[in-house]
Amino acid sequence: MELVPAGKFTRTFGKEGEVIAVLYDKFPAQYDKREPLYVLLDGLTVPFFISRLDRRGKSGALVVLDDVDNETRAGIILGREFLIPAAFAGETSDNGDDLAVFTGYTVVLTDTEGGTQITGIVTGIEGNDANPLFTIEIDGKEILVPANEEMITDVNLSKSILRIEIPPGLLDL
């Protein structure tokens, strides 16, 4: 059976093994939860069966897997891609930059004029390929920030941190 990458587990969400996943464009809108997600662990393709999959926006999901019932077990799959059978994969978009991989990242926004720094979490991607926007949660509020590569000053993949310089007054809107 041919498997294709369909998403990535990015962080835990709770203490009972729940994880947040970024869903790639190939992840279908309707996935049969009886089909497992496959994760490559120590050279073996291991199936994980889905107890619950709640979509969060266009490219995110809260996932609960059978037998992943605490943070320690969830830690085994964090940062790893999961695969699905190619027969279930959806179409990919023409946009080669899959900004959804930043879902779950800590984002540090710096005002270019005043140097003020605000920290939040990327919760999803909105807009379209021509004008993508990061959805960022800061102190319980959601804001939209352009996902413009000229504004991104640093990406730390190992620490899941994204630094963005924003124009003055953007957060006041």
Side-chain angles (χ1 to χ4, degrees):
M1 166 174 50
E2 181 187 355
L3 298 173
V4 295
K8 183 177 183 178
F9 297 113
T10 58
R11 65 183 171 99
T12 59
F13 188 84
K15 296 186 186 264
E16 296 180 10
E18 303 96 330
V19 292
I20 297 293
V22 171
L23 305 176
Y24 298 163
D25 290 339
K26 289 189 178 204
F27 195 85
Q30 299 297 318
Y31 188 72
D32 185 353
K33 294 177 189 165
R34 294 174 294 183
E35 287 294 324
L37 302 176
Y38 296 89
V39 179
L40 191 61
L41 297 172
D42 296 327
L44 298 172
T45 305
V46 179
F48 285 88
F49 289 89
I50 303 167
S51 295
R52 193 171 101 213
L53 190 144
D54 297 330
R55 289 210 175 242
R56 302 254 169 125
K58 179 181 172 186
S59 60
L62 171 67
V63 182
V64 178
L65 301 169
D66 293 351
D67 300 323
V68 178
D69 56 6
N70 60 50
E71 288 182 273
T72 303
R73 287 188 176 176
I76 294 169
I77 60 172
L78 287 184
R80 296 183 187 269
E81 284 188 315
F82 57 84
L83 309 144
I84 61 172
F88 297 124
E91 295 295 320
T92 60
S93 73
D94 293 335
N95 185 0
D97 302 330
D98 193 0
L99 295 170
V101 299
F102 295 118
T103 301
Y105 271 50
T106 298
V107 64
V108 179
L109 301 173
T110 305
D111 185 322
T112 57
E113 192 172 90
T116 305
Q117 287 191 344
I118 299 172
T119 303
I121 301 289
V122 177
T123 58
I125 304 296
E126 298 290 327
N128 56 43
D129 287 347
N131 188 26
L133 303 166
F134 288 117
T135 304
I136 300 172
E137 184 178 315
I138 299 173
D139 297 328
K141 295 180 184 177
E142 279 194 348
I143 64 163
L144 298 175
V145 172
N148 181 327
E149 86 178 52
E150 292 173 9
M151 293 170 56
I152 298 172
T153 60
D154 185 45
V155 177
N156 186 324
L157 298 174
S158 64
K159 293 183 180 180
S160 299
I161 297 174
L162 181 64
R163 294 184 182 280
I164 302 175
E165 282 191 359
I166 57 174
L170 181 68
L171 296 177
D172 298 332
L173 298 176

